[in-house]
Amino acid sequence: METQIVLSDHIESMPVSPGVSANKLINPTLAFAVPATPNNLSFSVTVLTKGMSFEGNPFVSFKVLDSENNIINQIEAPLPAEQVKANINPLGTFNFNLDFRNVLFRHAGDYFISFELNGNEVNRQKFEIIVNSEI
């Protein structure tokens, strides 16, 4: 399976034709500015997959981790495999779009988004929290 993780300020769903929508990432980034720490921050994450297996009872987890691998926020759920399989496109790709709201960042520095499938980490993306008192 191939994956990529993209962070952004927000994700908007835009209708392109009846019953079909496209996702628009607002300000994709690898760093977020906050005026001070500790601070709450809301942001979006898109996980792109290709060749993901939906056999058995897949369970996904998306974690925000600090530099010491402590979980500071998490979204997890079982996947309704039959329903997901019915929506896989001919390219074999499947995307997850997530909104993390009011995540508490206690200090500036490096953080990670981890994508896990059935308890095994598939991919991890580093991002940075930067204090910018001018915002």
Side-chain angles (χ1 to χ4, degrees):
M1 174 173 57
E2 297 175 50
T3 63
Q4 287 190 2
I5 300 173
V6 182
L7 291 90
S8 62
D9 285 340
H10 186 63
I11 301 169
E12 290 181 3
S13 184
M14 304 171 17
V16 292
S17 64
V20 178
S21 63
N23 293 317
K24 177 180 174 184
L25 301 182
I26 308 299
N27 192 28
T29 187
L30 291 174
F32 294 102
V34 295
T37 55
N39 207 314
N40 290 345
L41 180 68
S42 296
F43 58 97
S44 297
V45 174
T46 299
V47 178
L48 312 170
T49 72
K50 181 175 182 297
M52 185 171 170
S53 171
F54 295 96
E55 299 304 316
N57 297 309
F59 188 86
V60 293
S61 179
F62 308 90
K63 297 176 182 176
V64 180
L65 305 167
D66 67 14
S67 60
E68 297 174 358
N69 282 328
N70 296 309
I71 299 170
I72 61 171
N73 203 294
Q74 177 173 308
I75 298 172
E76 58 183 10
L79 290 179
E82 293 306 315
Q83 183 180 10
V84 172
K85 280 189 217 177
N87 292 309
I88 295 290
N89 65 36
L91 299 175
T93 63
F94 187 83
N95 299 339
F96 297 93
N97 294 305
L98 311 151
D99 286 321
F100 284 93
R101 295 290 166 236
N102 298 313
V103 177
L104 178 61
F105 291 96
R106 296 190 183 280
H107 54 81
D110 292 339
Y111 290 85
F112 301 88
I113 296 293
S114 172
F115 167 49
E116 294 181 2
L117 178 62
N118 298 325
N120 299 309
E121 186 174 77
V122 177
N123 198 355
R124 177 181 283 224
Q125 177 63 56
K126 182 172 84 169
F127 67 99
E128 188 174 3
I129 296 296
I130 299 171
V131 174
N132 182 347
S133 58
E134 297 177 9
I135 59 171

